[in-house]
Amino acid sequence: MSVAAPWARASAVAVLCFGFAAQGMAQQSAVQRGDAKFQHSCAPCHGAGVGDDGHAMLPGTDALRIKYKAAVPPVPALLEQRTDLTAAVLKVFLRNGSFSMPPFRPTELTDVEIADIASYIADKVKRAPTAPKAKP
């Protein structure tokens, strides 16, 4: 048995392991990728929870609460509760910015990542428990 054979075998195993890891990452769903990208790029301003400045909401969520406070029908301030945020709508806001929200370049958020975020939000809304209907 040659000395090179064990190294060749180890190299082949390493290549197979990396291949399976890459395949697993590729198989990650759009919702999972969108969740991760939302948590990284959107939630720091538009997530649920209190702001570092003592406000009851994070700045992006609070800005949307103020913007839509008189909307009929009501529009949720929390992005993860919105039903109208398709990839096309998100892309307009993300590429152009809005008020104090800066625009995001394609090098910061790709079109695929925007579509993944839209998939995540749609899935989150779909899985949210529905409020019981009021009895007449």
Side-chain angles (χ1 to χ4, degrees):
M1 182 161 122
S2 97
V3 176
W7 288 106
R9 210 174 299 128
S11 295
V13 169
V15 167
L16 283 174
C17 288
F18 286 126
F20 286 128
Q23 181 181 9
M25 289 171 62
Q27 289 178 347
Q28 189 180 35
S29 76
V31 171
Q32 292 168 320
R33 291 188 310 267
D35 181 8
K37 189 49 81 171
F38 182 90
Q39 300 313 320
H40 179 265
S41 300
C42 308
C45 288
H46 291 285
V50 298
D52 291 341
D53 57 1
H55 282 90
M57 295 180 183
L58 291 168
T61 304
D62 198 31
L64 292 175
R65 178 191 61 80
I66 293 165
K67 180 178 180 177
Y68 294 119
K69 69 180 173 186
V72 177
V75 176
L78 194 61
L79 295 183
E80 292 171 294
Q81 296 175 345
R82 301 275 297 268
T83 59
D84 59 336
L85 297 178
T86 63
V89 170
L90 286 175
K91 186 175 178 182
V92 169
F93 286 103
L94 289 167
R95 292 289 179 248
N96 298 304
S98 178
F99 300 105
S100 62
M101 182 178 125
F104 287 79
R105 297 179 299 251
T107 55
E108 296 170 303
L109 277 175
T110 67
D111 290 351
V112 171
E113 290 171 328
I114 292 171
D116 289 346
I117 291 169
S119 295
Y120 163 69
I121 292 171
D123 185 70
K124 181 94 172 181
V125 169
K126 183 176 71 175
R127 293 177 184 273
T130 55
K133 293 183 180 181
K135 293 182 182 182

